[in-house]
Amino acid sequence: MFNLILFGPPGSGKGTQSDLLIQTYGFLHLSTGELLRDEVNRKTPLGIEAQMFMDEGQLVPDEVVIGMIDSKLNNNPAAKGIIFDGFPRTVAQAKALDKLLELKHTKIHTLVALDVPEEELKKRLLQRGKESGRSDDNEVTITKRITEYKNKTQPVADYYDQHGKLESVMGVGSIEDIFHNIQKVLERYVAPLKNPAS
Ligand code: B4P
């Protein structure tokens, strides 16, 4: 089993690159952002709590997201590989994830960090806000999310760097070129599917 963390600030392209990785490698995709938005849309108690944080540009409490990931891992014991997209976002989440994987006799193999300047992030997220109507893609919330990222999430990259698992990839340029550079990292660990989904 191969486990990848796709890492980067809001709008760095984690979701976009995850789609290509799933098609090419057949990995299971665990996006805490998507899982939370699904809970919000279904108006579950967890979703109602999470929405208050997401609309303020804040991270949802650790115990909420760790619980969600735990149950997803338990429901997918046969996955050949997992992309963790947008998780972990705090060092506490990273430590909890390492423990969960250890119980399953596996580990994080590598963290790929997408490097994108702040101005480009803001431009992309404002554009997505116009097109998708996502309530957290507005000027005020985007600034808060980038601040949360710097304070709470950036240390996650340092944590995995200390374990020799950090790989940085430039996240500006065409989506295909960025994907190609991620593949160069992954080829050390896994081979693409023979007949990738399109
Ligand atoms: P997420 O859903 O993870 O959203 P994101 O970080 O904003 O987006 P991502 O980086 O995936 O960007 P995308 O590919 O879509 O989180 C949303 C919120 O949920 C968080 O703020 C937080 O409140 C909560 N949350 C989630 N996980 C949590 C956790 N673990 N703990 C606590 N709270 C959590 O790309 C963005 C845009 O850029 C797209 O429109 C795309 O088309 C464009 N784009 C992508 N690549 C491009 C390229 N190469 N060039 C030009 N544009 C590009």
Side-chain angles (χ1 to χ4, degrees), residues 9-16 31-34 36-37 53-54 58-60 65 85-89 93 120 124-125 128 134 136 145 171 173-175 178:
S12 55
K14 302 182 294 287
T16 305
S31 158
T32 40
E34 275 180 19
L36 289 167
R37 280 188 289 281
F53 293 94
M54 294 167 81
Q58 292 171 0
L59 292 180
V60 174
V65 277
D85 164 6
F87 178 89
R89 261 178 157 93
Q93 292 181 17
E120 172 72 12
R124 289 181 188 179
L125 292 172
R128 184 172 67 185
R134 236 176 86 167
D136 58 344
R145 282 157 66 196
S174 78
I175 288 166
I178 297 165

Side-chain angles (χ1 to χ4, degrees), residues 4 29 36 51 73 75 89 104 169 180:
L4 163 73
H29 182 214
L36 289 167
Q51 186 166 26
L73 290 178
N75 291 340
R89 261 178 157 93
K104 294 175 195 320
V169 168
H180 180 68

Side-chain angles (χ1 to χ4, degrees), residues 151-182:
N151 292 339
K152 297 182 182 164
T153 306
Q154 184 59 48
V156 172
D158 304 334
Y159 171 80
Y160 284 102
D161 194 20
Q162 283 158 17
H163 295 83
K165 295 181 179 179
L166 170 65
E167 298 283 346
S168 292
V169 168
M170 177 48 78
V172 182
S174 78
I175 288 166
E176 293 72 24
D177 284 350
I178 297 165
F179 182 61
H180 180 68
N181 289 331
I182 297 175

Side-chain angles (χ1 to χ4, degrees), residues 10-28:
S12 55
K14 302 182 294 287
T16 305
Q17 295 297 330
S18 289
D19 289 344
L20 295 174
L21 288 163
I22 297 157
Q23 286 164 24
T24 310
Y25 294 92
F27 295 142
L28 174 69

